[in-house]
Amino acid sequence: MGDFSITLDTSRIQRDLSDMQKQIPYATSTAVNSLAFDAMRLENSAMSEIFDHPRPFTTRATQVDKATKSDPTAVISLRDQQAKYLTPYETGGDHWVGARDGTGDLLVPVDGRTDAYGQIPRGLIKRLLARPDVFAGTVRGIRGIWQRPTARGARRNAAPAKLKLLYMFRANKAVDKHLDFEQRAAEMVQREGPKAIEAAILKTIRTAR
């Protein structure tokens, strides 16, 4: 039997492989962003499990800085405003009280108004202290926000009306819950990462055709 040879034209395969190589950064950023937004939704959902009746402001605390083809890194973080009071639940420490009280004490409701989430509405204390019948001070050893009785509605020969304690300052203390923000995201990425990469590659192949 005589010798013979077979010649294969691999130029098409080489071009396809070259095109796929060019698509790797896109597939990588797609997988990373998919994981990042899944982690963001998981973190936001966990807020309702960690805290009792959290405000929507808290359940939307997480954000994503997306990955790109040139920089395949996505950053999952707490938004600046929410990070102020949520960070102690991740790193430890006392509750965040802001600039409301120079002593760093907590202000808790007594007879004062709260919102649907059991918290003091934003800006309410400032508005109350602007009223002539409300003041901040210490009465009978209790430091808080007090309301003076008004003359309106007072009945003749009735016993003198008493001051009403609206909100009371209590000594701050360390938070008693843990956010597990970093651990939760890391575990999800480790668990779902291979599937996200596979889905991104398949999507890249389909769109490249």
Side-chain angles (χ1 to χ4, degrees):
M1 180 180 293
D3 295 335
F4 70 96
S5 63
I6 299 174
T7 302
L8 295 176
D9 183 2
T10 61
S11 58
R12 171 70 180 275
I13 296 175
Q14 291 177 9
R15 286 197 302 271
D16 290 345
L17 290 174
S18 177
D19 289 341
M20 281 299 300
Q21 186 72 23
K22 294 177 183 178
Q23 292 298 322
I24 288 177
Y26 170 76
T28 302
S29 63
T30 297
V32 169
N33 285 329
S34 175
L35 286 168
F37 280 100
D38 283 347
M40 181 193 75
R41 286 185 284 270
L42 181 65
E43 299 285 11
N44 285 341
S45 177
M47 298 297 177
S48 296
E49 301 173 6
I50 298 169
F51 303 107
D52 297 328
H53 306 297
R55 288 173 173 162
F57 185 72
T58 298
T59 60
R60 295 193 295 266
T62 313
Q63 63 183 355
V64 171
D65 291 327
K66 294 173 64 175
T68 64
K69 290 191 292 184
S70 60
D71 182 8
T73 303
V75 179
I76 311 162
S77 63
L78 295 170
R79 301 179 190 275
D80 290 343
Q81 291 300 312
Q82 290 92 325
K84 291 179 181 179
Y85 62 87
L86 288 175
T87 296
Y89 291 96
E90 178 70 13
T91 61
D94 292 347
H95 292 85
W96 182 81
V97 296
R100 178 179 289 158
D101 174 52
T103 66
D105 288 347
L106 294 173
L107 187 61
V108 298
V110 180
D111 284 332
R113 183 165 68 88
T114 58
D115 60 20
Y117 306 97
Q119 300 176 33
I120 302 173
R122 185 185 301 272
L124 177 62
I125 299 302
K126 183 177 180 180
R127 294 194 299 272
L128 285 173
L129 291 175
R131 292 171 42 169
D133 62 329
V134 176
F135 68 97
T138 302
V139 178
R140 299 186 296 275
I142 300 175
R143 189 166 60 88
I145 309 295
W146 297 83
Q147 184 175 20
R148 299 183 182 90
T150 59
R152 182 186 305 173
R155 288 182 269 181
R156 184 177 299 177
N157 299 325
K162 297 181 179 179
L163 289 170
K164 179 188 288 187
L165 178 58
L166 302 177
Y167 305 94
M168 179 171 61
F169 286 108
R170 289 179 180 168
N172 202 347
K173 59 181 180 180
V175 298
D176 57 359
K177 299 179 180 180
H178 203 272
L179 204 58
D180 291 325
F181 189 90
E182 293 184 8
Q183 180 180 345
R184 184 179 298 103
E187 289 177 351
M188 196 227 72
V189 169
Q190 185 176 19
R191 182 176 64 252
E192 303 295 333
K195 288 187 288 187
I197 294 172
E198 180 182 2
I201 292 174
L202 291 175
K203 179 181 178 181
T204 301
I205 293 173
R206 287 195 304 269
T207 56
R209 290 174 180 173

